[in-house]
Amino acid sequence: MKKGARYERLSRIDKRHVWHPFTQMSEWEAGDPLIIEQGRGNYLIDINGSRFLDGASSLWVNLHGHGHKRIDSAIKKQLGNIAHSTLLGLSNVPSIELAERLVSIAPRGLKRVFYSDNGSTAVEIALKMAFQYWEQANGGSDKKRQFIAFTGAYHGDTFGSMSVGEIDIFVKKYKPLLFGTLRAPYPYCYRCPVKKNKRDCRTECLKALEELLIKHSHETAACVIEPVIQGASGMIVAPPGFLKEVRRLTKKYNVLLIADEVAVGFGRTGTMFACDTEGVSPDFLCLAKGITGGYMPLAATLTTEKVYKAFLGKYDEYKSFFHGHTYTGNPLGCAAAIANLDIFEQERVLEKMKPKSILFGELLKKFETLAHVGDVRHMGLVAGIEIVKDRATKEPFPPSERIGHRVAMEARGRGLIIRPLGDVIVLIPPLSVKEAEIKKMLKTVFDSVRKVTEE
Ligand SMILES: *Cc1c(COP(=O)(O)O)cnc(C)c1O
């Protein structure tokens, strides 16, 4: 990589002043940061002019490529009107139009849209609404103050969303500050949490959830789940029917269901929402990441009329939802989100995804021949390839070996940006990825995994 004086200057300042998220900065300071300056379609271009396929969709958000005309011009057009005004006591045009559009495509029954600006807040809002709902519904007679969440869950980095999350390295240090959560086993079939074999793990997982509900539903406000695919724990695809059963059980035991579709919403699994794959309507739908096609920070928490009505009353009953972020319903973000939905319709994105998803799945099979690939998980246009030291025992590599990171660095040298989750190699390209790019991406990753694990 050629490096000009401009690169040297920016790199020096970055290392001196920018604290990067989820990053061991001592490692960062010892390396050469890749500084992105432009995006063109499915590619990122750094300030030295090198091109990289965006195999991480710029952290799971970019759906239609960079610099898509429709989104670019929607933002510019909105900018000609106004960049920001508040939803506290005022309304604005794009936030109204987007709410109508979201309700029209969301699973049945979700009629109310509450905006924020990132995935953590989308979840935090659902948790607070669910809690407050039970405090106010039925005259507050129900003392439903607990939450059920799943093993390995990730719902964001704020205290509420961390409390329902369970990835040790992210949340353990904060344990004394987190509220307790009831934990149900998530069907991570490769490492089954209830120690069953693949055939009947589904039943066993759900049995544990039902036992929890039998014991605690009277004191449980809501159950929160990453529907169909658990993201940050390693792109873990639940067996078909699991989500539907979670919905059936939560309904049966009168517990609200919060679907955190921050990662999987907007086409990632092959349907607009992951809940659609099983015809499930949750009580809350949390959306962020892909909502603007990856152009602006925006999030939305959708809920039902039933939940909404519990917050109505005279002002001095103080039943309002006293929550709101400064940039709630930001017009630029909402305009980008409307353009995103237009692209889904006009470019038939979901339809075009099908053959690409099939090709993706076929090419992924080859990874099972690699000596250190333990599990390959795939759905729609997302995959998780779990690298292990020993395939027979499923023993992982020691974390100090940084296998996932090394594979990503190897791929970067070959023109592909990916970001692993520990030793799970994650492939999550823009939905606009071309078949030739899928082939190239998988060949690059295959060669990189082999080089790092076998040499
Ligand atoms: C990324 C993510 C979040 C958090 O979103 P942020 O925008 O990073 O706050 C929450 N839930 C899931 C499932 C996610 O993947």
Side-chain angles (χ1 to χ4, degrees), residues 206-220:
L206 287 162
K207 214 175 271 171
L209 173 65
E210 184 158 21
E211 277 162 18
L212 213 56
L213 285 164
I214 289 169
K215 225 164 142 191
H216 296 285
S217 65
H218 67 283
E219 54 178 3
T220 301

Side-chain angles (χ1 to χ4, degrees), residues 73-83 93-94 331-332 335:
S73 64
I75 294 171
K76 283 180 194 155
K77 187 163 168 236
Q78 182 55 41
L79 200 50
N81 288 329
I82 188 168
V93 178
L332 286 176

Side-chain angles (χ1 to χ4, degrees), residues 60 117-121 123 154-157 226 231-232 260-263 288-289:
W60 320 1
D117 44 33
N118 66 77
S120 307
T121 56
V123 171
Y154 177 76
H155 297 291
D157 302 335
E226 291 162 83
D260 175 359
E261 293 226 15
V262 170
K289 288 198 171 94

Side-chain angles (χ1 to χ4, degrees), residues 78-97:
Q78 182 55 41
L79 200 50
N81 288 329
I82 188 168
H84 179 69
S85 63
T86 181
L87 283 198
L88 279 68
L90 296 173
S91 203
N92 70 59
V93 178
S95 68
I96 297 169
E97 284 177 347

Side-chain angles (χ1 to χ4, degrees), residues 373-446:
V373 168
D375 194 25
V376 180
R377 302 181 279 269
H378 161 242
M379 189 167 185
L381 277 177
V382 54
I385 301 163
E386 185 163 338
I387 311 287
V388 291
K389 187 173 174 195
D390 186 331
R391 235 148 75 128
T393 63
K394 303 180 185 179
E395 184 200 345
F397 279 101
S400 60
E401 294 228 10
R402 308 282 279 121
I403 293 290
H405 176 71
R406 278 162 56 199
V407 170
M409 288 304 113
E410 186 63 37
R412 183 181 295 186
R414 299 161 189 248
L416 170 70
I417 302 282
I418 49 175
R419 184 166 170 91
L421 293 159
D423 286 348
V424 176
I425 308 305
V426 175
L427 305 178
I428 181 165
L431 308 184
S432 55
V433 70
K434 297 188 174 74
E435 296 203 353
E437 290 164 348
I438 293 176
K439 287 181 189 159
K440 183 167 176 279
M441 175 172 75
L442 288 180
K443 181 173 186 329
T444 302
V445 174
F446 187 88

Side-chain angles (χ1 to χ4, degrees), residues 341-404:
L341 296 181
D342 287 342
I343 293 170
F344 269 99
E345 273 180 23
Q346 285 161 22
E347 298 184 12
R348 297 179 298 119
V349 171
L350 296 177
E351 214 174 300
K352 284 188 196 155
M353 251 183 87
K354 267 183 210 137
K356 294 194 275 193
S357 166
I358 292 167
L359 173 72
F360 194 32
E362 274 166 8
L363 296 175
L364 278 163
K365 286 200 186 103
K366 196 174 161 206
F367 282 79
E368 285 162 12
T369 63
L370 285 172
H372 291 280
V373 168
D375 194 25
V376 180
R377 302 181 279 269
H378 161 242
M379 189 167 185
L381 277 177
V382 54
I385 301 163
E386 185 163 338
I387 311 287
V388 291
K389 187 173 174 195
D390 186 331
R391 235 148 75 128
T393 63
K394 303 180 185 179
E395 184 200 345
F397 279 101
S400 60
E401 294 228 10
R402 308 282 279 121
I403 293 290

Side-chain angles (χ1 to χ4, degrees), residues 187-203:
Y188 181 3
C189 299
Y190 179 60
R191 300 177 190 278
C192 176
V194 285
K195 308 278 180 286
K196 292 284 159 181
N197 59 35
K198 211 156 184 165
R199 258 174 302 125
D200 37 49
C201 73
R202 197 163 54 147
T203 336

